[in-house]
Every structure is written in structure tokens, then in C-alpha cells.
Amino acid sequence: RPAIPPALFGQPVRWAVPRAGRDGTLRIGIGGPDRAPARIDDDDRHSVRQGFGFAVELPIATDRNGTLAGGVLRLSGSAGSFDLPASFDGSIGRVVVGTTDGPDAIAVPRGRYEITAHLGGPAAPAIAVGAASVREDGRFDLLGLRRVNRLTRLRTWASWSTRTAADSTRTRALNAVRRLPTPAKDVLRSMYGRLRS
């Protein structure tokens, strides 16, 4: 059974975090930007852009394209902690968090840093992004993240869209059958039984 990723949706942006209850039922927690999923899949982060800025695709679903919200990317290393202005963008069904260029861009000293994203601002809960090395010239090299090309991202989006459409069609069909009068349901059951035998 495929894992269901957390999602960001709505305006203002809100979290939808799926969890399994003790009895195995699916529960969806809804919360604002002051809450974050306890864990996201470490192996499903991808580098989208790196250089003088960087962007990482996170295993977080969204139904929107364009900017979802602002926030910060916090780099923590031996040289200290640095907060870079960031944007959370919807792109091909996934959330991409990246640095934004602007007058308040901060020069980060050379070294290795752990990166966390904070939706909305520095006080928001941390979402692990990965690690980066900052070169002498200020360029970022993302460590341990595979670079994802647009074709791969389109394939992921197409797969996600197909599953969503199939689930939606199945739900509409079941709801239509439930609204039928009892004699019509009996006819459908007998036809289904004949088809299976």
C-alpha cells in the first residue's frame, strides 16, 4: 500500500497530515502553519536547483501551482545559524521550498550546514530539508539529494493525477449506487454475481 504524504492546501495555507489510528483507520489531522508533520520520507527529497540559491522538492503534496506561503530556510553549522528568506511553491503536485533573492539575502560563511524549512517564519516548526555545503564563492552544493529533472517530475505528477482521478471516479460510482432504490440494487448485485461466476 503506497504511503500517503502530508499535504499543504488552501488560502491561508493549512496542513493535512494522514495518520493511522490504533484500530487501523485513517485519520486526517488538519492544522495551520504552526503545526508540521512529525516526519516526512527522508528518501523522497530531490534537488531542483543549486548554485547561489537552492530549491528542494519535498514529499509534500499540494493541489496548487505557484507560491503557497513564505518562510525561512535555516542553515545550522559550526559557523552558526543563518535564516534565509524562502518561498514554499506548488509545482507539479509537490511542494518545492527554495531561497528567494532579495535585499535581505544573507551571506553564509563557507562550511557544511543542516537545513530545515520553517513555514511562515523562524518560530514555526522545523521540516528537515537535508544538508548543504557552502563554497568560498557563496554557492550551495546540496548533499545527498538526487537532482530531479522536469520529465521525472511530470511522470510523478501524471501518476498522482491518474490515481486521484480513479479514486474520485470510484467514489462517485459508489455514491450513485447507494442512492438507487433497493430493487435496482438487487438487479445490480445479481448481474455482478453472474459476471463473477
Side-chain angles (χ1 to χ4, degrees), residues 86-102:
S87 67
F88 289 75
D89 300 308
S91 177
I92 316 182
R94 286 287 183 94
V95 171
V96 175
V97 62
T99 57
T100 57
D101 299 326

Side-chain angles (χ1 to χ4, degrees), residues 12-28:
V13 72
R14 297 178 73 77
W15 283 104
V17 182
R19 294 185 185 93
R22 290 177 192 260
D23 58 354
T25 58
L26 176 67
R27 300 182 189 280
I28 308 279

Side-chain angles (χ1 to χ4, degrees), residues 171-182:
T171 301
R172 281 198 307 272
L174 287 171
N175 286 338
V177 168
R178 285 186 188 116
R179 287 192 298 268
L180 290 173
T182 303

Side-chain angles (χ1 to χ4, degrees), residues 1-9 14-22 24-31 35-41 59-61 160:
R1 173 180 316 179
I4 305 172
L8 280 170
F9 67 97
R14 297 178 73 77
W15 283 104
V17 182
R19 294 185 185 93
R22 290 177 192 260
T25 58
L26 176 67
R27 300 182 189 280
I28 308 279
I30 306 290
R35 302 183 70 180
R39 191 185 76 76
I40 58 174
D41 190 352
I60 298 170
W160 175 78

Side-chain angles (χ1 to χ4, degrees), residues 5-171:
L8 280 170
F9 67 97
Q11 188 64 37
V13 72
R14 297 178 73 77
W15 283 104
V17 182
R19 294 185 185 93
R22 290 177 192 260
D23 58 354
T25 58
L26 176 67
R27 300 182 189 280
I28 308 279
I30 306 290
D34 58 333
R35 302 183 70 180
R39 191 185 76 76
I40 58 174
D41 190 352
D42 294 340
D43 298 329
D44 205 13
R45 297 180 180 93
H46 299 102
S47 163
V48 175
R49 168 175 56 89
Q50 59 185 338
F52 287 110
F54 63 90
V56 176
E57 182 185 75
L58 299 173
I60 298 170
T62 186
D63 60 350
R64 288 174 47 208
N65 285 317
T67 301
L68 300 167
V72 299
L73 282 161
R74 180 167 295 147
L75 280 69
S76 303
S78 58
S81 185
F82 303 90
D83 286 351
L84 304 177
S87 67
F88 289 75
D89 300 308
S91 177
I92 316 182
R94 286 287 183 94
V95 171
V96 175
V97 62
T99 57
T100 57
D101 299 326
D104 39 340
I106 298 165
V108 179
R110 182 174 175 237
R112 186 184 191 284
Y113 296 89
E114 294 298 318
I115 308 167
T116 55
H118 302 262
L119 176 67
I127 303 164
V129 172
S133 175
V134 179
R135 296 191 218 166
E136 198 67 54
D137 64 0
R139 290 178 190 258
F140 293 92
D141 288 324
L142 294 169
L143 306 173
L145 295 178
R146 286 183 300 121
R147 182 149 175 89
V148 63
N149 62 34
R150 190 157 180 84
L151 182 60
T152 302
R153 295 177 71 222
L154 280 168
R155 203 169 22 238
T156 301
W157 176 82
S159 168
W160 175 78
S161 295
T162 302
R163 282 196 313 268
T164 302
D167 289 345
S168 176
T169 302
R170 188 178 309 116
T171 301

